[in-house]
Amino acid sequence: DDATQLIADTGIAAVDIILDSHYDGSTVSGQFTEWSDLTAFRGKALEGQRSDSDVFRFVPDLPAPGLYRVSAFWPGDDGSNPEAQIRVNAASTYQSISVDQGHNGGTWQELGVFDFAADGNEFVDFTAADSATFVVDAVRFQSVSDPQTAPLELIAKTLPGAELGQAYSTAL
């Protein structure tokens, strides 16, 4: 399979870590209500009430520094959960992301790719926007690169032989 081939090709094991709202390594501030929902990850989620006091923090135990794709999961689309704030604190980044939990539930929603130091000081927080209710269900961390190699970034002002709206390919 793809994971076995990745290890064979690079010597790097693929990492796919999922933490749900009942993860022992999480920290909770404020009051949360547990509820069951068939569309929740593993059938249960937590609901927070106030942005000023309810914060749920996932602290991943990542095996190595590197780039990880972070995704969030919340129950299906019942339209009852307004905008929530998810804050990602990684090695060189602190980013607050607004998500509408009334839509796109029941599937993983990518929050972005972040560079993690894997030092135990990084986290993903869930809190409410505008003192409204919000849901905490699960987060996923997927390795996306060799942690010893910086990502390749190419910046070009022009592409020789390229045509607007057409596929482009070249050898480096």
Side-chain angles (χ1 to χ4, degrees):
D1 73 353
D2 290 341
T4 304
Q5 189 61 45
L6 176 66
I7 294 168
D9 291 347
T10 65
I12 301 167
V15 174
D16 193 357
I17 297 173
I18 298 174
L19 307 176
D20 76 355
S21 55
H22 295 81
Y23 166 62
D24 286 340
S26 60
T27 60
V28 179
S29 299
Q31 304 260 335
F32 287 84
T33 305
E34 180 179 284
W35 52 283
S36 296
D37 187 310
L38 293 176
T39 64
F41 188 79
R42 296 188 179 154
K44 292 184 180 180
L46 298 175
E47 182 177 71
Q49 300 298 321
R50 297 175 306 279
S51 66
D52 61 342
S53 63
D54 291 353
V55 178
F56 191 96
R57 177 169 289 178
F58 292 98
V59 181
D61 183 13
L62 301 172
L67 297 175
Y68 290 84
R69 177 179 296 110
V70 179
S71 302
F73 191 99
W74 54 85
D77 304 337
D78 63 4
S80 64
N81 300 308
E83 190 172 292
Q85 293 293 315
I86 300 176
R87 299 179 298 220
V88 179
N89 181 43
S92 59
T93 306
Y94 180 83
Q95 185 172 348
S96 183
I97 303 156
S98 296
V99 297
D100 180 354
Q101 291 187 319
H103 298 89
N104 301 318
T107 63
W108 290 106
Q109 301 299 315
E110 184 176 330
L111 303 174
V113 175
F114 301 90
D115 188 9
F116 283 87
D119 61 6
N121 294 317
E122 298 152 320
F123 57 82
V124 175
D125 278 349
F126 281 65
T127 191
D130 302 324
S131 298
T133 61
F134 65 101
V135 175
V136 177
D137 202 350
V139 294
R140 179 171 67 187
F141 301 84
Q142 296 173 295
S143 62
V144 294
S145 74
D146 176 347
Q148 303 303 317
T149 305
L152 177 64
E153 181 177 338
L154 300 176
I155 300 172
K157 295 187 188 252
T158 62
L159 295 175
E163 292 183 39
L164 187 61
Q166 299 297 312
Y168 183 79
S169 150
T170 189
L172 297 177

